[in-house]
Short mmCIF file of all heavy atoms in Angstrom, two decimals:
data_model
loop_
_atom_site.label_atom_id
_atom_site.label_comp_id
_atom_site.label_asym_id
_atom_site.label_seq_id
_atom_site.Cartn_x
_atom_site.Cartn_y
_atom_site.Cartn_z
N MET F 167 19.81 14.93 -17.07
CA MET F 167 19.55 14.76 -15.66
C MET F 167 18.15 14.17 -15.47
O MET F 167 17.20 14.59 -16.09
CB MET F 167 19.67 16.10 -14.94
CG MET F 167 19.51 16.00 -13.47
SD MET F 167 19.89 17.61 -12.76
CE MET F 167 19.33 17.35 -11.15
N GLU F 168 18.06 13.19 -14.61
CA GLU F 168 16.80 12.51 -14.36
C GLU F 168 15.90 13.34 -13.44
O GLU F 168 16.35 13.87 -12.42
CB GLU F 168 17.10 11.17 -13.69
CG GLU F 168 16.05 10.12 -13.98
CD GLU F 168 16.47 8.78 -13.44
OE1 GLU F 168 17.35 8.15 -14.05
OE2 GLU F 168 15.91 8.37 -12.42
N SER F 170 12.95 13.90 -10.73
CA SER F 170 12.41 13.11 -9.64
C SER F 170 11.19 13.81 -9.04
O SER F 170 11.01 15.03 -9.16
CB SER F 170 13.46 12.87 -8.56
OG SER F 170 13.83 14.09 -7.96
N LYS F 172 9.00 13.97 -5.38
CA LYS F 172 8.98 13.63 -3.96
C LYS F 172 7.52 13.36 -3.58
O LYS F 172 6.65 14.20 -3.80
CB LYS F 172 9.54 14.77 -3.14
CG LYS F 172 9.82 14.40 -1.71
CD LYS F 172 10.54 15.53 -1.00
CE LYS F 172 11.55 14.92 -0.07
NZ LYS F 172 12.38 15.92 0.57
N ILE F 173 7.27 12.17 -3.03
CA ILE F 173 5.92 11.77 -2.65
C ILE F 173 5.81 11.74 -1.13
O ILE F 173 6.64 11.15 -0.45
CB ILE F 173 5.58 10.39 -3.24
CG1 ILE F 173 5.60 10.45 -4.76
CG2 ILE F 173 4.24 9.88 -2.73
CD1 ILE F 173 5.38 9.11 -5.43
N ASP F 176 0.20 9.92 3.51
CA ASP F 176 -0.67 10.30 4.59
C ASP F 176 -0.15 9.67 5.88
O ASP F 176 0.52 8.63 5.84
CB ASP F 176 -2.10 9.82 4.29
CG ASP F 176 -3.12 10.43 5.20
OD1 ASP F 176 -3.16 11.66 5.32
OD2 ASP F 176 -3.90 9.66 5.79
N GLY F 194 -5.63 5.25 -5.91
CA GLY F 194 -4.21 5.41 -5.64
C GLY F 194 -3.60 4.14 -5.08
O GLY F 194 -4.12 3.04 -5.29
N TYR F 196 -1.96 2.03 -1.65
CA TYR F 196 -2.00 1.94 -0.20
C TYR F 196 -1.00 0.88 0.24
O TYR F 196 -0.62 -0.02 -0.51
CB TYR F 196 -3.42 1.61 0.31
CG TYR F 196 -4.01 0.35 -0.22
CD1 TYR F 196 -3.87 -0.85 0.45
CD2 TYR F 196 -4.69 0.33 -1.44
CE1 TYR F 196 -4.40 -2.02 -0.03
CE2 TYR F 196 -5.22 -0.82 -1.94
CZ TYR F 196 -5.07 -2.01 -1.24
OH TYR F 196 -5.60 -3.16 -1.74
N GLN F 206 11.25 -10.95 8.25
CA GLN F 206 12.60 -11.16 7.75
C GLN F 206 12.54 -11.45 6.26
O GLN F 206 12.14 -12.53 5.83
CB GLN F 206 13.30 -12.32 8.48
CG GLN F 206 14.72 -12.57 8.00
CD GLN F 206 15.63 -11.37 8.22
OE1 GLN F 206 15.87 -10.98 9.35
NE2 GLN F 206 16.13 -10.77 7.14
N PHE F 209 17.03 -9.63 2.27
CA PHE F 209 18.09 -8.64 2.47
C PHE F 209 18.02 -7.91 3.79
O PHE F 209 19.04 -7.50 4.34
CB PHE F 209 18.12 -7.63 1.33
CG PHE F 209 18.37 -8.23 -0.03
CD1 PHE F 209 17.94 -7.57 -1.17
CD2 PHE F 209 19.01 -9.45 -0.19
CE1 PHE F 209 18.17 -8.11 -2.42
CE2 PHE F 209 19.24 -10.00 -1.44
CZ PHE F 209 18.82 -9.32 -2.56
N ARG F 223 -12.71 4.65 -9.13
CA ARG F 223 -13.45 5.19 -7.99
C ARG F 223 -14.46 4.18 -7.44
O ARG F 223 -14.75 4.16 -6.25
CB ARG F 223 -14.17 6.48 -8.38
CG ARG F 223 -13.20 7.58 -8.70
CD ARG F 223 -13.86 8.94 -8.78
NE ARG F 223 -12.98 9.96 -9.33
CZ ARG F 223 -11.91 10.45 -8.75
NH1 ARG F 223 -11.54 10.01 -7.57
NH2 ARG F 223 -11.17 11.36 -9.33
N LYS F 229 -12.90 0.64 -0.48
CA LYS F 229 -13.47 -0.68 -0.80
C LYS F 229 -12.40 -1.77 -0.73
O LYS F 229 -12.64 -2.86 -0.22
CB LYS F 229 -14.12 -0.63 -2.18
CG LYS F 229 -14.88 -1.88 -2.51
CD LYS F 229 -15.78 -1.69 -3.70
CE LYS F 229 -16.59 -2.94 -3.88
NZ LYS F 229 -17.92 -2.69 -4.36
N SER F 232 -11.48 -2.37 2.92
CA SER F 232 -12.60 -3.05 3.57
C SER F 232 -12.57 -4.55 3.25
O SER F 232 -12.80 -5.38 4.12
CB SER F 232 -13.94 -2.46 3.12
OG SER F 232 -14.08 -1.16 3.57
N ARG F 244 -5.48 -11.06 6.63
CA ARG F 244 -6.40 -11.39 7.71
C ARG F 244 -5.65 -12.07 8.85
O ARG F 244 -5.84 -11.76 10.03
CB ARG F 244 -7.54 -12.27 7.21
CG ARG F 244 -8.55 -12.60 8.32
CD ARG F 244 -9.63 -13.53 7.87
NE ARG F 244 -9.05 -14.83 7.58
CZ ARG F 244 -9.45 -15.66 6.63
NH1 ARG F 244 -10.45 -15.33 5.86
NH2 ARG F 244 -8.86 -16.82 6.43
N TYR F 246 -2.36 -11.98 9.59
CA TYR F 246 -1.46 -11.05 10.29
C TYR F 246 -2.27 -10.17 11.23
O TYR F 246 -1.83 -9.84 12.33
CB TYR F 246 -0.64 -10.19 9.32
CG TYR F 246 0.64 -10.88 8.93
CD1 TYR F 246 0.76 -11.47 7.68
CD2 TYR F 246 1.73 -10.95 9.79
CE1 TYR F 246 1.93 -12.11 7.30
CE2 TYR F 246 2.90 -11.58 9.44
CZ TYR F 246 3.00 -12.17 8.19
OH TYR F 246 4.15 -12.80 7.83
N VAL F 249 -2.83 -11.58 14.72
CA VAL F 249 -1.72 -11.66 15.69
C VAL F 249 -1.02 -10.34 15.95
O VAL F 249 -0.18 -10.24 16.84
CB VAL F 249 -0.68 -12.73 15.26
CG1 VAL F 249 -1.31 -14.11 15.24
CG2 VAL F 249 -0.06 -12.39 13.92
N PHE F 253 -1.62 -1.34 10.32
CA PHE F 253 -1.80 0.06 9.95
C PHE F 253 -1.73 0.19 8.44
O PHE F 253 -1.26 -0.73 7.75
CB PHE F 253 -0.68 0.91 10.59
CG PHE F 253 -0.81 1.04 12.07
CD1 PHE F 253 -0.23 0.10 12.91
CD2 PHE F 253 -1.52 2.09 12.63
CE1 PHE F 253 -0.34 0.22 14.28
CE2 PHE F 253 -1.63 2.21 14.00
CZ PHE F 253 -1.05 1.28 14.83
N PHE F 259 -3.93 9.28 -5.79
CA PHE F 259 -3.37 9.40 -7.14
C PHE F 259 -3.78 10.70 -7.84
O PHE F 259 -3.02 11.23 -8.65
CB PHE F 259 -3.76 8.19 -8.00
CG PHE F 259 -3.00 8.10 -9.28
CD1 PHE F 259 -1.64 7.83 -9.27
CD2 PHE F 259 -3.62 8.31 -10.50
CE1 PHE F 259 -0.92 7.76 -10.45
CE2 PHE F 259 -2.91 8.23 -11.69
CZ PHE F 259 -1.55 7.97 -11.66
N MET F 265 1.94 15.72 -12.08
CA MET F 265 3.38 15.46 -12.22
C MET F 265 3.68 14.09 -12.81
O MET F 265 4.77 13.86 -13.30
CB MET F 265 4.04 15.55 -10.84
CG MET F 265 3.91 16.88 -10.20
SD MET F 265 4.43 16.84 -8.48
CE MET F 265 2.95 16.18 -7.71
N LEU F 273 2.74 3.23 -11.17
CA LEU F 273 3.25 3.67 -9.88
C LEU F 273 3.35 2.48 -8.91
O LEU F 273 4.34 2.34 -8.20
CB LEU F 273 2.36 4.75 -9.29
CG LEU F 273 2.86 5.44 -8.02
CD1 LEU F 273 4.21 6.12 -8.25
CD2 LEU F 273 1.84 6.44 -7.53
N GLY F 286 14.65 -7.92 -1.43
CA GLY F 286 14.92 -9.23 -2.03
C GLY F 286 13.73 -9.96 -2.60
O GLY F 286 13.89 -10.83 -3.45
N SER F 288 8.99 -9.56 -3.06
CA SER F 288 7.81 -8.72 -2.89
C SER F 288 7.33 -8.81 -1.45
O SER F 288 7.63 -9.77 -0.73
CB SER F 288 6.68 -9.21 -3.80
OG SER F 288 7.01 -9.06 -5.16
N ASN F 292 1.72 -9.95 -0.82
CA ASN F 292 1.42 -9.67 -2.22
C ASN F 292 1.37 -10.95 -3.06
O ASN F 292 1.07 -10.90 -4.24
CB ASN F 292 2.42 -8.69 -2.81
CG ASN F 292 2.08 -7.26 -2.51
OD1 ASN F 292 2.51 -6.72 -1.50
ND2 ASN F 292 1.26 -6.64 -3.34
N LYS F 294 3.49 -13.00 -4.50
CA LYS F 294 4.24 -13.08 -5.76
C LYS F 294 5.51 -13.86 -5.52
O LYS F 294 6.14 -13.81 -4.52
CB LYS F 294 4.56 -11.69 -6.29
CG LYS F 294 3.29 -10.99 -6.68
CD LYS F 294 3.57 -9.74 -7.44
CE LYS F 294 2.22 -9.18 -7.80
NZ LYS F 294 2.02 -8.05 -8.39
#
Side-chain angles (χ1 to χ4, degrees):
M167 184 172 169
E168 208 173 285
S170 65
K172 192 173 218 174
I173 296 175
D176 192 52
Y196 58 93
Q206 180 62 63
F209 299 156
R223 294 193 191 291
K229 187 166 185 145
S232 293
R244 182 184 67 214
Y246 273 104
V249 297
F253 290 88
F259 192 68
M265 299 170 278
L273 187 60
S288 295
N292 278 89
K294 294 191 178 175

